[in-house]
Amino acid sequence: MSTLIRNAAVFRNNSIVENQNIVIDGKYIKEFPDNPDPADYDEVIEGNNMLCLPGLVNTHTHVAMTLFRSYADDMELMDWLQNKIWPAEDHLDDDIVYWGSMLAFAEMIRGGTTAFCDMYMFMDSCAKAADLAGMRGNLARGLAGIGPNGDKGLAENIELFKNWDHAGDGRFKVMLGPHASYTCPPDYIRKVRDAGMKYNIPIHIHLSETQGEVDNCLKEYGKTPIALMNDLGLFDLPTLAAHCVHVNDDDIRIMKEKDVHVAHNPTSNLKLASGIAPVTKMRAAGITVGLGTDGASSNNKLDMFAEMRLAALIHKVKDSDPLAINALEALNMATVDGAKCMGYDNLGTLESGSLADIILVNREGFNWMPGFNSISLAVYSGNSMDVDTVMINGKVVMRHKELLTIDVERMKREVSRVTDKLFSFAG
Amino acid sequence: MSTLIRNAAVFRNNSIVENQNIVIDGKYIKEFPDNPDPADYDEVIEGNNMLCLPGLVNTHTHVAMTLFRSYADDMELMDWLQNKIWPAEDHLDDDIVYWGSMLAFAEMIRGGTTAFCDMYMFMDSCAKAADLAGMRGNLARGLAGIGPNGDKGLAENIELFKNWDHAGDGRFKVMLGPHASYTCPPDYIRKVRDAGMKYNIPIHIHLSETQGEVDNCLKEYGKTPIALMNDLGLFDLPTLAAHCVHVNDDDIRIMKEKDVHVAHNPTSNLKLASGIAPVTKMRAAGITVGLGTDGASSNNKLDMFAEMRLAALIHKVKDSDPLAINALEALNMATVDGAKCMGYDNLGTLESGSLADIILVNREGFNWMPGFNSISLAVYSGNSMDVDTVMINGKVVMRHKELLTIDVERMKREVSRVTDKLFSFAG
């Protein structure tokens, strides 16, 4: 299967090259020919007035939580968790997670997101939905060591690894998902680490999301969550740490030394009043920082255009510097840096040999006029609804805004059904 | 002319009422009948699965600056102004401002914004474009007293008042636009105030946008910009103050006492690294705070859904309070509070007797599922592209995403032409 994208404006080497042709062969980008003959390709996609970007990478989310969208907003964190989210989560099952995930994939593809890192429950169902939708994903079973199900969860996570790592023509990787320092005591973290070492599985964990979490960790262990996890040896495994809002200089030194990658979630950190992560400081230290939406219950959408824009905006005020995180940096965080967070070195760029996760963004909207700088336009005035066509692993999954892998009408019916099932307890 | 909107979910009295009918008679909302006969009305609009909101109010912008969109981003403020914006503004003319404004109105209507407060140059052309587009607007000639054109500008602003105040079937009001304390010395502010008193014209001014502005004002006059303007008697006129990022408790007391209204511009204040305005404090003091986009050069879009969302997010972190500015408050700031900023007491609500500025937002997108709380959905996961239909002053200006008052193809050609004309000097 070969595809030609013709006459698009292509984001390459940190700039936009107009009138480029891209050839995709199988799941890889092959070349950028000057005068291709359309007859030579199985499929030809016209790119006139389209901006061609690497697919956007959502490095931290809980996809099935789309079902909690607008269920409980503007609440105190513990009130929200204890009285709304946790009671509802008790009622999840495979059926519910499958359709909640499918809704997330529809929303993500629609908005140009081609890859995601997830941590949740019933992950086999999440994986099945992602496989059908054609998404690229890193999957982790959320693990808590404080309840009775720590060992069961870890066993499930290892089973997930055996079943799904490298599956889907290489679209899936599996990570271990120890939830956080406050839900995973040291002994449990050691167990997770040992399993990771045995099977060679990377880590996806929440770290230093709130000041309270850091304060409690200091009180209990005399160390920050970052230092604690480092001392427990967790960072000897490749680690993706979500949030890292409250990290100090020592934490940053550790993270750099151990090549810990960061999933920065600007909307979620604002919505839950967690704070603004020191992203420019972490980047200056050489740490790879990707962007994420977190779950739809703390966002409330899965819109990487919104996250790029917010990332480019909030650090300017945090640092009192209008040059902090410029448009190009935000775009790179949402693409190539996110791909690194997912463990890829051939994803998130449009180059020969890269995996063909590609989006075409229509530049005909009023928000794209005039067209001085398409990088600025994409980040500051772009809209997820401008995305026209989405390719993942060389396969077109959305064309002219129509989803090709998901039966939208059925999905809507099923989402309505499982939402009723999930929340029947509340009524 | 009478219009019936049928079976919509209507935002009334701070909540959503499903399956409502609205009758619009002329430019006013007339009633909400239970069982209307469609045959009784000139036009019937089906509202199934639509959320009916008051039109969004953009309380501070410079519409013709759409032409600067993506021209100069991620720069230091003075470098940006002195080397990019001001040289380009020297080349503005009526033709350029007309089409730059028309692009803004297309973008605003497309995204559900029905009213705007503007301060700029060649305002007669802006008014003509707004009149044709069917927008509601408060127009001010931007006035600087430090250059040679202070008196000429004031005379133009008074002329604008005579020509446009209450024009367009009441859609237009004219305000005086003294730019800021650092561009308008006390003697000039007194002149502006005297003109305002003579003709009964309200004020639109930038105040306390940056810490540097406040520091310089304190150094020069021994007073904050707010205190200075109060002592000069400016606040004896109804005043809309844009930004108010750096205001102290005394400033807030003065603003409340003089009923100064505030245009809060979350994106612009972040993008220019100005800071985060103490909005919850001002609101707690009883000050009316609306939302604005500022010009497209510091945003870069005119998208009130983006501003609502950002307003609901950033104050949570500023105040370390996840309950600061909830979704309902953000929606009210973008509608009824914005209308108050524009001097209306019968706009921004969906009630009998209110002016019929109404938008219908399609709730069929993935970002609206499931549908627990449409207020939360509109603010946190809504998208300006979800807007389906827009009515201003009782007249439908967009139907099923098609603009009815603006010839889009011609507008695009003209925008391209005037952009070339405007920036020919640069290259």
Side-chain angles (χ1 to χ4, degrees):
Chain A
M1 177 74 189
S2 64
T3 305
L4 170 67
I5 300 173
R6 274 217 295 198
N7 284 324
V10 178
F11 176 61
R12 290 181 73 187
N13 299 322
N14 290 330
S15 67
I16 306 289
V17 192
E18 297 284 339
N19 301 313
Q20 286 268 294
N21 306 298
I22 311 180
V23 171
I24 296 98
D25 188 26
K27 60 182 178 177
Y28 295 104
I29 295 172
K30 186 178 175 191
E31 57 193 0
F32 298 82
D34 285 337
N35 294 296
D37 181 350
D40 293 345
Y41 305 95
D42 299 320
E43 185 171 13
V44 176
I45 294 174
E46 295 296 340
N48 296 326
N49 212 14
M50 294 282 175
L51 176 64
C52 189
L53 299 175
L56 304 179
V57 177
N58 186 342
T59 56
H60 181 67
T61 185
H62 314 283
V63 291
M65 292 187 86
T66 50
L67 298 177
F68 298 91
R69 179 168 17 231
S70 83
Y71 171 60
D73 291 318
D74 299 315
M75 297 177 69
E76 294 284 354
L77 181 66
M78 291 320 288
D79 184 22
W80 177 72
L81 283 173
Q82 290 175 349
N83 297 317
K84 290 287 186 172
I85 299 301
W86 289 341
E89 285 187 337
D90 271 352
H91 293 74
L92 291 172
D93 62 24
D94 276 301
D95 175 39
I96 293 170
V97 166
Y98 182 87
W99 289 108
S101 302
M102 196 66 91
L103 171 59
F105 302 139
E107 184 183 2
M108 288 201 278
I109 292 171
R110 178 69 196 79
T113 296
T114 54
F116 69 102
C117 287
D118 205 82
M119 180 202 295
Y120 210 53
M121 293 162 277
F122 302 97
M123 289 305 292
D124 201 57
S125 294
C126 173
K128 284 175 186 164
D131 196 24
L132 188 104
M135 287 293 297
R136 182 184 304 282
N138 283 18
L139 312 169
R141 201 320 184 176
L143 303 173
I146 48 172
N149 295 319
D151 291 338
K152 180 166 165 281
L154 182 54
E156 283 179 23
N157 205 150
I158 293 166
E159 193 64 18
L160 186 75
F161 174 79
K162 291 177 178 169
N163 292 333
W164 286 98
D165 195 58
H166 291 100
D169 198 17
R171 280 178 294 124
F172 298 110
K173 295 178 193 270
V174 171
M175 306 173 88
L176 291 171
H179 174 266
S181 65
Y182 56 95
T183 47
C184 297
D187 279 353
Y188 189 70
I189 289 292
R190 284 189 199 97
K191 270 191 205 174
V192 172
R193 177 190 175 279
D194 291 347
M197 284 296 186
K198 178 172 174 190
Y199 295 100
N200 196 20
I201 316 180
I203 300 292
H204 185 179
I205 186 170
H206 300 93
L207 282 178
S208 302
E209 179 174 4
T210 65
Q211 188 61 53
E213 172 192 337
V214 175
D215 292 346
N216 287 338
C217 194
L218 283 167
K219 206 163 126 188
E220 190 152 4
Y221 303 107
K223 300 169 189 171
T224 64
I226 302 282
L228 176 65
M229 292 300 151
N230 187 44
D231 289 352
L232 293 170
L234 196 70
F235 298 158
D236 296 339
L237 292 161
T239 299
L240 173 60
H243 303 305
C244 300
V245 175
H246 299 279
V247 290
N248 63 29
D249 289 349
D250 283 339
D251 292 335
I252 290 175
R253 192 180 41 70
I254 292 168
M255 291 157 76
K256 168 58 186 165
E257 195 179 299
K258 294 300 178 81
D259 199 22
V260 171
H261 295 160
V262 174
H264 171 46
N265 304 278
T267 295
S268 175
N269 295 160
L270 293 177
K271 185 153 183 278
L272 300 176
S274 306
I276 300 177
V279 166
T280 51
K281 220 170 174 179
M282 292 190 284
R283 282 172 53 91
I287 295 168
T288 299
V289 182
L291 297 179
T293 59
D294 209 346
S297 54
S298 61
N299 190 303
N300 295 349
K301 52 188 178 179
L302 307 179
D303 181 338
M304 288 296 294
F305 278 87
E307 300 307 322
M308 276 200 293
R309 184 174 200 262
L310 200 45
L313 290 174
I314 57 173
H315 300 289
K316 291 176 166 61
V317 155
K318 181 178 174 72
D319 296 359
S320 299
D321 176 6
L323 279 61
I325 309 296
N326 63 31
L328 174 63
E329 292 172 310
L331 182 54
N332 278 330
M333 289 167 72
T335 53
V336 63
D337 295 343
K340 285 181 197 158
C341 291
M342 289 182 68
Y344 287 90
D345 58 9
N346 61 343
L347 183 72
T349 56
L350 301 179
E351 295 307 329
S352 303
S354 292
L355 286 160
D357 290 11
I358 300 174
I359 64 176
L360 293 178
V361 186
N362 191 316
R363 295 187 293 179
E364 288 178 356
F366 306 131
N367 50 322
W368 291 81
M369 298 178 65
F372 293 108
N373 181 336
S374 282
I375 295 173
S376 255
L377 290 164
V379 171
Y380 290 119
S381 61
N383 189 307
S384 57
M385 298 287 182
D386 296 325
V387 177
D388 177 86
T389 294
V390 175
M391 174 184 280
I392 303 175
N393 223 34
K395 183 180 169 192
V396 178
V397 296
M398 184 172 85
R399 186 76 184 108
H400 295 324
K401 306 193 177 187
E402 186 195 347
L403 298 183
L404 304 180
T405 50
I406 299 174
D407 177 342
V408 170
E409 289 314 310
R410 178 174 176 204
M411 185 270 287
K412 287 187 172 184
R413 284 195 309 274
E414 301 282 10
V415 164
S416 176
R417 178 183 61 78
V418 299
T419 303
D420 287 348
K421 182 163 92 168
L422 174 58
F423 292 99
S424 57
F425 75 93
Chain B
M1 178 74 188
S2 65
T3 305
L4 170 66
I5 299 173
R6 273 217 294 199
N7 283 324
V10 178
F11 176 60
R12 291 181 73 187
N13 299 321
N14 289 330
S15 66
I16 306 289
V17 192
E18 297 284 339
N19 302 313
Q20 286 269 295
N21 306 299
I22 310 180
V23 171
I24 296 97
D25 189 25
K27 61 182 178 177
Y28 296 104
I29 295 171
K30 186 179 175 189
E31 58 192 358
F32 298 81
D34 286 337
N35 295 297
D37 181 350
D40 292 345
Y41 306 95
D42 300 319
E43 184 171 13
V44 177
I45 294 174
E46 294 297 340
N48 296 326
N49 210 14
M50 295 281 176
L51 177 63
C52 189
L53 299 175
L56 304 179
V57 178
N58 186 342
T59 56
H60 180 67
T61 185
H62 315 283
V63 291
M65 292 187 87
T66 48
L67 298 178
F68 299 92
R69 179 172 10 231
S70 83
Y71 171 61
D73 291 318
D74 300 315
M75 297 176 71
E76 294 283 355
L77 182 65
M78 290 321 286
D79 183 22
W80 177 72
L81 283 174
Q82 290 175 349
N83 297 317
K84 289 287 186 173
I85 300 301
W86 288 341
E89 285 187 338
D90 271 350
H91 293 75
L92 291 171
D93 63 22
D94 275 302
D95 176 39
I96 294 170
V97 166
Y98 182 88
W99 290 108
S101 302
M102 196 67 90
L103 171 59
F105 301 139
E107 185 183 2
M108 289 202 278
I109 292 171
R110 180 68 197 79
T113 296
T114 54
F116 69 103
C117 287
D118 205 82
M119 180 202 297
Y120 210 53
M121 294 162 277
F122 301 96
M123 290 305 292
D124 201 57
S125 294
C126 173
K128 284 175 186 163
D131 196 23
L132 189 105
M135 288 292 298
R136 183 182 304 282
N138 283 19
L139 313 170
R141 203 315 185 182
L143 303 173
I146 46 171
N149 296 318
D151 291 340
K152 180 167 165 280
L154 183 54
E156 283 179 23
N157 205 150
I158 292 165
E159 193 65 18
L160 186 75
F161 174 78
K162 289 176 179 171
N163 292 334
W164 286 97
D165 195 57
H166 291 99
D169 198 17
R171 281 179 294 124
F172 297 111
K173 295 178 193 270
V174 171
M175 307 174 87
L176 291 170
H179 174 266
S181 63
Y182 56 96
T183 47
C184 298
D187 279 354
Y188 189 70
I189 290 291
R190 284 189 199 97
K191 271 192 205 173
V192 172
R193 178 192 175 276
D194 290 348
M197 284 297 187
K198 179 173 174 188
Y199 295 100
N200 196 19
I201 317 180
I203 300 292
H204 185 179
I205 186 171
H206 301 93
L207 282 178
S208 302
E209 179 175 3
T210 66
Q211 189 60 53
E213 172 192 338
V214 175
D215 291 345
N216 287 337
C217 193
L218 283 167
K219 204 162 127 188
E220 189 152 8
Y221 303 108
K223 299 169 189 172
T224 65
I226 301 283
L228 176 65
M229 292 301 151
N230 187 44
D231 289 353
L232 292 169
L234 195 70
F235 298 158
D236 296 340
L237 293 160
T239 299
L240 173 60
H243 303 305
C244 301
V245 174
H246 299 279
V247 291
N248 63 29
D249 289 350
D250 282 339
D251 291 335
I252 290 175
R253 193 181 39 72
I254 291 168
M255 291 158 74
K256 168 59 186 165
E257 195 179 300
K258 294 302 178 79
D259 199 21
V260 171
H261 296 159
V262 174
H264 172 45
N265 303 278
T267 294
S268 175
N269 295 160
L270 294 177
K271 185 150 183 280
L272 300 176
S274 306
I276 300 176
V279 166
T280 51
K281 219 169 176 181
M282 292 191 284
R283 282 174 52 92
I287 294 168
T288 299
V289 182
L291 297 179
T293 58
D294 208 348
S297 53
S298 62
N299 190 303
N300 295 350
K301 52 188 179 179
L302 307 178
D303 181 338
M304 289 296 294
F305 277 87
E307 300 307 320
M308 276 199 294
R309 184 174 199 263
L310 200 45
L313 290 173
I314 57 174
H315 300 289
K316 291 175 167 60
V317 155
K318 182 178 173 72
D319 297 359
S320 299
D321 176 6
L323 279 60
I325 309 297
N326 63 31
L328 174 64
E329 291 171 310
L331 182 55
N332 278 329
M333 288 168 73
T335 53
V336 63
D337 295 342
K340 284 181 197 158
C341 290
M342 289 182 68
Y344 287 90
D345 58 9
N346 62 342
L347 183 72
T349 56
L350 301 180
E351 294 307 329
S352 303
S354 292
L355 285 160
D357 291 10
I358 300 174
I359 64 175
L360 293 178
V361 186
N362 191 316
R363 296 187 293 179
E364 289 178 355
F366 306 132
N367 51 322
W368 291 81
M369 298 178 66
F372 293 108
N373 181 335
S374 283
I375 294 173
S376 255
L377 289 165
V379 171
Y380 291 118
S381 61
N383 188 306
S384 56
M385 298 287 182
D386 297 325
V387 177
D388 177 87
T389 294
V390 175
M391 173 184 281
I392 303 175
N393 224 34
K395 183 180 169 194
V396 178
V397 296
M398 184 172 85
R399 186 78 185 108
H400 295 324
K401 306 193 177 188
E402 186 195 347
L403 298 184
L404 304 180
T405 51
I406 299 175
D407 178 343
V408 170
E409 289 314 310
R410 179 175 175 204
M411 186 270 288
K412 287 187 171 184
R413 283 196 310 274
E414 301 282 9
V415 164
S416 177
R417 179 182 61 78
V418 299
T419 303
D420 288 347
K421 182 163 92 169
L422 175 58
F423 291 99
S424 55
F425 75 93

